[in-house]
Amino acid sequence: MTIIDGKKVSEEIQNEIAAEVQKIKSAGKKIPHLAAILVGNDGASETYVGGKVKACEKVGFVSTLVRMPDITSEKELLDKIAELNNDKDIDGFIVQLPLPKHINEQKVTEAIDPKKDVDGFHPANVGRMALNLPTYLPATPYGIIQLLERYKIETAGKNCVVIGRSHIVGLPMSILMVRNSNPGNCTVTITHSKTKNLKELCLQADIIIAALGKAEFLTADHVKQGAVIIDVGITRVKSDKTKTGWKLLGDVKYDEVAPKCSFITPVPGGVGPMTITSLMMNTLKACRREIY
Ligand code: NAD
């Protein structure tokens, strides 16, 4: 059984990006510039955006954090997006989700110029992904693809079960695994809260990607011997064994599932560290005009 070390792969990729930035600098070219819009002061969003800004510093990108109060109107946010769309110095930007309830997230997503949509959430980029055209892949699925690639995990012809169909993880993941590419070329079954025979489907899977957000949901009796398990879930639970008083659990009951697997991602330290790194990869692509 191999434990997939997302922290290590993430560091490797960030070092590769930093080396690219050095080359860009030496050549006197424009340094990649990522902007993030943060509306309101939700604690979790602050942490996520903070992590993205830190990662930019680490790889040598320029970053801009645009803070807007939670009373910002939808029009004010759309105006700010138009401004960033037209700002030649900014290669790509994200609007940190979730947004305050009075703002329509779909409208906001569609207002971002697809050329600068480094989150890969714009319908034009989702469509390009489905058609296997060059695009910005959504960060978490892109990170998983990187892990499969770097660990040389065979996917062609394999049965893959994706648990969860969210627009940011499950659905794009199922598209990536079915595409005619490597990693990809799987026979994919996408499952969700209304799926009736989940255990039966999982037992036939060579690869299971669990993204449902229910701590330790996937138990050993769901998993066949030798399966590859990718655990996307992150649930914070109380713990009297840690200093902080809480710990993170994945969607997989790790201790009993791991002995049956060929490969498994731990939580924390598996998929999680890859997400911000994928955003850095997309920003580099945006700066190099690799997609559009
Ligand atoms: P979501 O709540 O938007 O979607 C959950 C999906 O799971 C839904 O499609 C639902 O139909 C499905 N589901 C729920 N119960 C199910 C069941 N019993 N059987 C089968 N399917 C079921 O969640 P999300 O945003 O996709 O996130 C999923 C998990 O991944 C969460 O724990 C989240 O914190 C985590 N996450 C981690 C990262 C990362 O960087 N590692 C990034 C994004 C999300």
Side-chain angles (χ1 to χ4, degrees):
M1 187 266 295
T2 302
I3 299 171
I4 298 176
D5 188 343
K7 201 161 169 252
K8 183 168 145 258
V9 175
S10 167
E11 273 167 22
E12 272 167 25
I13 298 176
Q14 290 198 13
N15 288 339
E16 290 163 17
I17 296 174
E20 283 306 309
V21 174
Q22 277 311 319
K23 280 190 204 157
I24 292 172
K25 271 189 186 161
S26 313
K29 292 189 187 149
K30 185 188 171 303
I31 296 168
H33 185 171
L34 174 72
I37 304 180
L38 177 61
V39 184
N41 40 20
D42 172 72
S45 294
E46 288 269 358
T47 309
Y48 293 140
V49 169
K52 291 168 189 176
V53 170
K54 246 197 203 153
C56 282
E57 282 165 12
K58 200 170 155 212
V59 300
F61 289 176
V62 178
S63 67
T64 299
L65 175 56
V66 181
R67 284 179 178 277
M68 302 181 84
D70 57 5
I71 51 159
T72 303
S73 69
E74 188 174 283
K75 167 137 192 345
E76 284 167 329
L77 178 56
L78 293 173
D79 287 347
K80 181 53 80 181
I81 289 171
E83 195 185 309
L84 299 190
N85 281 341
N86 293 316
D87 185 334
K88 290 211 164 47
D89 196 56
I90 289 172
D91 298 300
F93 67 97
I94 61 152
V95 178
Q96 185 65 45
L97 302 177
L99 290 167
K101 291 214 162 28
H102 63 277
I103 300 178
N104 181 331
E105 278 187 6
Q106 193 57 31
K107 238 185 185 175
V108 167
T109 301
E110 291 187 34
I112 299 172
D113 182 346
K115 296 185 184 68
K116 295 195 175 189
D117 169 41
V118 284
D119 256 343
F121 294 158
H122 191 288
N125 285 326
V126 178
R128 292 177 69 90
M129 171 178 65
L131 297 172
N132 209 358
L133 295 169
T135 189
Y136 302 114
L137 298 179
T140 302
Y142 191 13
I144 295 170
I145 291 294
Q146 287 298 316
L147 291 177
L148 294 171
E149 201 175 313
R150 292 195 180 223
Y151 275 83
K152 298 189 170 47
I153 294 171
E154 258 184 62
T155 59
K158 305 285 183 192
N159 287 333
C160 173
V161 167
V162 178
I163 311 178
R165 60 176 162 190
S166 75
H167 291 176
I168 60 162
V169 189
L171 185 68
M173 202 59 236
S174 70
I175 294 171
L176 292 173
M177 295 306 278
V178 83
R179 296 197 312 182
N180 184 2
S181 59
N182 185 32
N185 277 319
C186 287
T187 304
V188 176
T189 306
I190 177 156
T191 65
H192 47 77
S193 54
K194 303 284 190 296
T195 299
K196 291 218 167 83
N197 53 342
L198 186 72
K199 195 186 271 190
E200 206 178 291
L201 295 168
C202 286
L203 280 170
Q204 288 175 26
D206 304 301
I207 303 170
I208 300 177
I209 302 174
L212 69 159
K214 294 200 169 140
E216 299 189 321
F217 175 89
L218 198 83
T219 46
D221 58 347
H222 285 82
V223 177
K224 78 170 180 187
Q225 198 67 36
V228 174
I229 305 290
I230 306 292
D231 189 354
V232 187
I234 305 176
T235 306
R236 219 167 122 139
V237 293
K238 279 191 184 156
S239 168
D240 48 22
K241 291 198 181 90
T242 62
K243 267 192 212 155
T244 51
W246 52 266
K247 63 176 178 175
L248 298 179
L249 287 180
D251 286 346
V252 176
K253 198 152 192 188
Y254 187 87
D255 290 345
E256 61 174 62
V257 171
K260 290 185 97 174
C261 300
S262 53
F263 292 88
I264 187 166
T265 61
V267 175
V271 174
M274 294 299 294
T275 298
I276 290 184
T277 298
S278 304
L279 181 65
M280 301 298 117
M281 291 170 79
N282 278 343
T283 305
L284 185 61
K285 285 185 179 176
C287 180
R288 288 176 165 167
R289 309 286 182 265
E290 268 181 38
I291 314 284
Y292 291 96

